[in-house]
Amino acid sequence: MPTIVSTPTEWRSLRKSLAGRSVGFVPTMGNLHEGHIDLCRRARAENDIVVASIFVNPTQFNQASDFEKYARTLEADKKLLAGAGVDYLFHPDAKDMYPDDYSIKVGEEEIAKELEGAFRPGHFTGMLTVVMKLLNIIGAERAYFGEKDFQQLLLVKKMVAALFMPVEIIACPTVRAQNGLALSSRNARLTPEQLEKAPLLAELLQSGMSDAAVMKKLEEAGFKPEYVDTRWGRRLAAAWLGDVRLIDNVPAVNGGAAQNAAGQHNEVCHAAVSGCG
Ligand code: AMP
């Protein structure tokens, strides 16, 4: 089992004893699945020491109910981390992560306003703030993030470059179920019927249809899509199935069929912007 470390101070003194050894870090919110474990395996292969964190970060949730409903499965998570050869699990309390009561924040003013940022106001500020804290605490050589959360990955890379943070951000491909559904902790909240429908999201994103046509097909199938959009060489979407919000993205056909030569997107398909979980 990984050694549990509960406070930043405890980890800091441990980190000193690991001087000279490379550390790979995998930040998560727990309720782990094969997507998270894939990041841990990659970290295991590339570093002397592997640290994962489990912290359900309150500041990146738009609705208190989504934060409360987020599954906490620490005992099962520890076993999965042990199986992937993770050495340490950093599992702090909110009071230790936010000694300032969230009065200090890290924000971004461009990418963070688009797509996920438009539908989830404040989400990326909460995410960047906690990722910065975690990266500062852990002091890893490398940190591993999934392409599943593509906009998050772009923002973390941008923050690390802009603030000269001494860590390499490694992007890992999305792990999917056999039927194509991107693995996500939230999938467990889908009903059997919704679970059958959910792979359609990935299937349509990979199709040659336009963003607008994909949006329409999703609506017809009973999803409530928020956006389907092609940019950054990806086709990205968010859609609700019942009260579960799914996000996914795939490489855009021809690196972005809907992009012009300047790399600017020219096809956006959004539902009305609204606050959501
Ligand atoms: P989360 O626990 O949802 O905050 O995710 C923690 C990390 O795991 C993030 O870097 C995610 O992008 C990554 N992740 C989540 N699901 C997947 C997946 N299906 N494939 C690859 N990485 C994933």
Side-chain angles (χ1 to χ4, degrees):
M1 288 289 174
T3 302
I4 313 282
V5 180
S6 307
T7 66
T9 319
E10 205 184 319
W11 172 256
R12 280 257 165 98
S13 66
L14 244 168
R15 180 75 184 88
K16 281 196 193 119
S17 71
L18 301 172
R21 300 215 256 165
S22 65
V23 172
F25 175 44
V26 181
T28 83
M29 297 206 298
N31 193 217
L32 302 180
H33 51 65
E34 193 56 31
H36 300 111
I37 295 308
D38 203 51
L39 306 191
C40 294
R41 282 199 211 98
R42 175 98 186 258
R44 178 70 285 160
E46 297 178 354
N47 301 277
D48 298 327
I49 303 288
V50 180
V51 185
S53 65
I54 295 182
F55 180 60
V56 186
N57 175 33
T59 67
Q60 73 187 66
F61 284 81
N62 303 85
Q63 289 174 345
S65 60
D66 193 22
F67 173 68
E68 277 145 27
K69 271 191 272 178
Y70 205 88
R72 275 93 167 159
T73 52
L74 188 60
E75 289 312 309
D77 291 351
K78 282 197 270 188
K79 288 192 188 122
L80 287 173
L81 293 174
V86 171
D87 302 298
Y88 295 95
L89 170 59
F90 183 57
H91 184 49
D93 277 349
K95 68 171 180 5
D96 288 322
M97 290 300 285
Y98 289 99
D100 59 322
D101 232 356
Y102 196 40
S103 56
I104 301 279
K105 300 179 189 188
V106 183
E108 195 272 357
E109 297 290 320
E110 291 170 1
I111 300 171
K113 302 263 183 248
E114 304 176 27
L115 305 186
E116 284 299 289
F119 283 90
R120 305 188 64 187
H123 166 69
F124 283 132
T125 299
M127 180 281 291
L128 284 176
T129 304
V130 84
V131 169
M132 174 144 186
K133 286 171 187 260
L134 288 167
L135 292 175
N136 282 344
I137 294 164
I138 301 300
E141 272 69 27
R142 298 176 197 87
Y144 296 79
F145 288 82
E147 287 182 349
K148 160 79 170 37
D149 300 280
F150 198 79
Q151 214 177 339
Q152 165 174 294
L153 171 65
L154 289 182
L155 281 162
V156 169
K157 281 187 170 171
K158 192 172 174 183
M159 172 180 76
V160 162
L163 301 180
F164 304 99
M165 296 170 69
V167 58
E168 186 185 354
I169 303 301
I170 314 272
C172 302
T174 303
V175 177
R176 299 177 179 279
Q178 272 201 335
N179 61 17
L181 176 64
L183 299 189
S184 163
S185 304
R186 289 187 171 89
N187 293 351
R189 281 167 39 205
L190 295 169
T191 64
E193 200 183 307
Q194 289 166 340
L195 255 182
E196 235 172 82
K197 204 179 275 184
L200 189 63
L201 178 60
E203 194 182 315
L204 288 170
L205 285 178
Q206 285 165 49
S207 75
M209 284 179 221
S210 70
D211 293 345
V214 169
M215 186 102 172
K216 190 154 173 281
K217 286 271 179 209
L218 286 170
E219 276 162 4
E220 284 165 7
F223 288 79
K224 288 207 177 74
E226 287 184 337
Y227 62 83
V228 176
D229 195 1
T230 299
R231 63 178 81 183
W232 310 309
R234 311 290 292 190
R235 174 135 74 165
L236 311 98
W240 291 86
L241 251 189
D243 67 352
V244 180
R245 187 171 184 275
L246 302 175
I247 62 169
D248 201 353
N249 70 91
V250 302
V253 179
N254 304 325
Q259 287 190 345
N260 62 26
Q264 288 164 336
H265 65 280
N266 53 15
E267 183 180 9
V268 186
C269 199
H270 282 190
V273 174
S274 63
C276 56

